[in-house]
Structure formats: structure tokens, C-alpha cells
Amino acid sequence: MIQESKGKVDLLQARVSLHLCYLGGCGQHVVEGILETGKYDVVVLSRKVKHSLTHIATTNLPPRPNLTVRAVDYASPISIQQALQGVDTLISTLIGENFKEVQLALISGCKAAGVRRFAPSEWAGDTEKNRIIDLYRPKNEIIEALDNTEGLEWTLFTPGIFMNYLATPHTTSHLPPLKFLIDAENNTALIPGTGTEPIIYTTAQDVGRFVAATLSLPHWPRKSAMAGSVTTFNEIIDALEKVKGVKFERDYRSKEVLEREVEEAREDVMKRFYAQVALALVVNGEQFAFETNLNGLFPEIRPTGVEEFVRTWWGKKSE
């Protein structure tokens, strides 16, 4: 039985098989967010059946839906099609090797297996506004392929930067620790531009909640953008200084400095990537300060803001 309410769909005792291919830290939070609803069966696509996520099936998340893991050969169209039989929605959290090729194969597999909805691996800024970041360019080719695929509904999940990184080295999520521009542990920050450019941060936990909520929508929008906080680097550092009671060393880096860093990192893929992200924050701000729609669609979700997050992980009680 499906009941429509306020433009959404409440699934009553319904089960929708949902596959996530490759589970980095973000993917695990998406799985947990979906399981918390108690409405869906979750099937994880993985190159290996033995997967760390299987432990979730024995946790105390109420009520318990089914969680299974299926092995799939992403190089085999038949393997992908078989894995997707009877599947309603496919969400990709793929990273790393063969990023574009695997997702193009998944799109073809969705069509062959009759999958209704697909979300490619995004999980950052607005890809369609990207003009600078080399590693994000394959995402545009995937979006182009989706634009040319009839009968497959799709959306781009866009959360900005993961707020959890602000707590590094504290473990706040399944994400690996990362000191992205701000080193709260050592009270330093490499700030792109003037520090007043807007930027969006969202916790991985809230990403999982928002993604789970979209499964109840009768139709997905082209972009599914969310925000824990729309803030600036200066505001984040101000909050950290207030909570920690110390002054941060702020190193403001101009457009010219960042362009030079990008050029100097030509032989180092990841160093160049982070330099390009920093540059994009200055010269292409709309990529990481995008218009959100999921916050308005799901006002019942109250995402964690930067100030609350900073108090939780850097306040006196957390030390």
C-alpha cells in the first residue's frame, strides 16, 4: 500500500531493494540512514561478498530490515544485470579505479534490469558547475550519459564538504580522518581567498538521513542538495577559537598563490586535486555554495550545524 502525503510517498510495510556499489565511509552512512527508516531491504554490491557492513545487521537499529551483500563483477554486463534484477533504486558511492567506466556500466545495467532510479557517485559540490577540478571531470561524462538515457530517473546528491573532517583526529564517522585546509588539532588554517566566500558543510550522518528521506519522494529532482551549514572559513575558525579558547594561525592564500600551487603539483595527483578544490572555492564559489532543496523538502530533518559540531568535538567535555 502506498499513500501520498504532502508531495511525498509514505511506504507502508513496503520493501524496496536498494543497492549501493562500493562502500567507502560515505556509503556506510547512507546504508545506516536507510536502515534506520525500517522501510527498505538493502543489498550492497561489492567486489567481495565478505564486507565490513555486514555487522550492521546485528546492531540495535530498530526495526531490523534485511541487509545482504552480493558479489558483482563490474567488468561483466551480465554480472551487473543479474545483480540488479528486481531492484528499484541504485545508489553509487564508488570512488577510485575505473570510476567512469564502472558507473557507465551501471547505467547500462540499470536499463537492462529495469531499475527505476539511479544516483551516480557525487557526494561533494555541484559537479555541473565544475570548471577547475580534474578528478571531477569524469562525473560530467556520467551526467551526460544520464541525460541521454531514457526511462531512468536519476539525481545528484550534493552535500558540500563533510563536516566530520573538522574534528580530525577525533573519529566522528566512518570517513577516514582528513585535515582539509583546517587543522583544528594544531590551531592552524590554510584559508582560500579572503575567508568570506560561502561554503557548505554537512555531516556524513546527516547525508545518510537526507538520502534515506528521498526514497519516499514520488519523483527525484535532478539535483538533491543538502546543507548542515552554509558558512565561511572565517566563521568556522571564529567558532573553533571561541570553543577552544585559543587563536588560530590563519594563512590566507590568494588566487595567484593557489594557481601556482596547482601548477607545481602537476605530477602529484592528490596534491593537485586538493589545490584545485581550494582554488575552486575562490574563483568558482557556486560549485561549493549551491542552492539546496532537501532541507526544505524534509524540515523534520534537523541537520547538525558547524557551531554545534565544533562544540561537541572541541568543547571542554570532549577533550
Side-chain angles (χ1 to χ4, degrees), residues 18-67:
L18 184 138
H19 287 62
L20 288 99
C21 48
Y22 187 89
L23 291 166
C26 173
Q28 191 152 338
H29 285 289
V30 172
V31 167
E32 291 176 349
I34 293 167
L35 290 179
E36 285 174 357
T37 70
K39 296 179 180 180
Y40 309 101
D41 291 335
V42 177
V43 183
V44 175
L45 293 187
S46 177
R47 290 183 173 90
K48 298 179 181 179
V49 171
K50 185 178 181 182
H51 200 283
S52 62
L53 259 187
T54 55
H55 79 277
I56 295 180
T58 62
T59 63
N60 295 320
L61 293 175
R64 292 297 338 131
N66 291 330
L67 171 66

Side-chain angles (χ1 to χ4, degrees), residues 162-216:
F162 288 117
M163 196 180 299
N164 307 78
Y165 294 146
L166 296 175
T168 301
H170 299 298
T171 301
T172 68
S173 68
H174 302 299
L175 296 168
L178 176 66
K179 293 179 178 179
F180 177 66
L181 299 176
I182 297 175
D183 182 350
E185 180 183 22
N186 296 305
N187 309 321
T188 63
L190 301 174
I191 301 176
T194 64
T196 61
E197 295 83 358
I199 185 171
I200 287 176
Y201 273 78
T202 311
T203 67
Q205 290 86 348
D206 285 331
V207 171
R209 295 184 188 103
F210 276 117
V211 172
T214 67
L215 298 179
S216 69

Side-chain angles (χ1 to χ4, degrees), residues 24-289:
C26 173
Q28 191 152 338
H29 285 289
V30 172
V31 167
E32 291 176 349
I34 293 167
L35 290 179
E36 285 174 357
T37 70
K39 296 179 180 180
Y40 309 101
D41 291 335
V42 177
V43 183
V44 175
L45 293 187
S46 177
R47 290 183 173 90
K48 298 179 181 179
V49 171
K50 185 178 181 182
H51 200 283
S52 62
L53 259 187
T54 55
H55 79 277
I56 295 180
T58 62
T59 63
N60 295 320
L61 293 175
R64 292 297 338 131
N66 291 330
L67 171 66
T68 58
V69 182
R70 293 182 187 175
V72 62
D73 179 0
Y74 292 123
S76 167
I78 294 177
S79 177
I80 294 173
Q81 183 177 345
Q82 289 176 340
L84 294 176
Q85 288 299 318
V87 170
D88 178 82
T89 302
L90 173 63
I91 298 175
S92 174
T93 59
L94 182 73
I95 58 174
E97 187 177 359
N98 299 323
F99 177 86
K100 180 181 73 173
E101 291 76 12
V102 169
Q103 292 200 96
L104 292 176
L106 288 172
I107 294 171
S108 298
C110 285
K111 286 293 294 178
V115 173
R116 181 169 65 100
R117 298 191 295 197
F118 174 67
S121 188
E122 289 287 309
W123 317 111
D126 186 341
T127 293
E128 294 187 292
K129 301 293 177 61
N130 176 47
R131 302 194 306 270
I132 294 172
I133 305 170
D134 293 336
L135 288 183
Y136 285 174
R137 297 191 194 284
K139 294 183 178 185
N140 294 102
E141 297 181 55
I142 295 162
I143 293 171
E144 182 179 357
L146 287 168
D147 271 330
N148 293 321
T149 301
E150 295 184 0
L152 180 63
E153 189 173 284
W154 55 276
T155 195
L156 308 175
F157 286 115
T158 309
I161 297 175
F162 288 117
M163 196 180 299
N164 307 78
Y165 294 146
L166 296 175
T168 301
H170 299 298
T171 301
T172 68
S173 68
H174 302 299
L175 296 168
L178 176 66
K179 293 179 178 179
F180 177 66
L181 299 176
I182 297 175
D183 182 350
E185 180 183 22
N186 296 305
N187 309 321
T188 63
L190 301 174
I191 301 176
T194 64
T196 61
E197 295 83 358
I199 185 171
I200 287 176
Y201 273 78
T202 311
T203 67
Q205 290 86 348
D206 285 331
V207 171
R209 295 184 188 103
F210 276 117
V211 172
T214 67
L215 298 179
S216 69
L217 293 174
H219 300 288
W220 270 356
R222 181 184 182 93
K223 295 180 182 180
S224 295
M226 65 206 82
S229 282
V230 181
T231 184
T232 69
F233 279 107
N234 282 345
E235 290 172 348
I236 295 171
I237 301 304
D238 288 345
L240 283 164
E241 288 180 341
K242 181 178 179 180
V243 167
K244 297 190 71 178
V246 298
K247 282 292 183 183
F248 273 56
E249 180 183 332
R250 307 189 191 202
D251 181 4
Y252 291 91
R253 302 149 81 202
S254 67
K255 170 178 174 288
E256 291 72 25
V257 168
L258 293 170
E259 287 175 335
R260 185 166 62 249
E261 290 181 357
V262 169
E263 184 62 28
E264 291 173 350
R266 185 169 293 277
E267 303 302 320
D268 187 323
V269 174
M270 291 311 299
K271 186 176 181 180
R272 182 177 174 85
F273 167 72
Y274 288 121
Q276 287 179 330
V277 172
L279 179 60
L281 290 168
V282 176
V283 302
N284 192 27
E286 60 185 358
Q287 184 176 351
F288 290 95

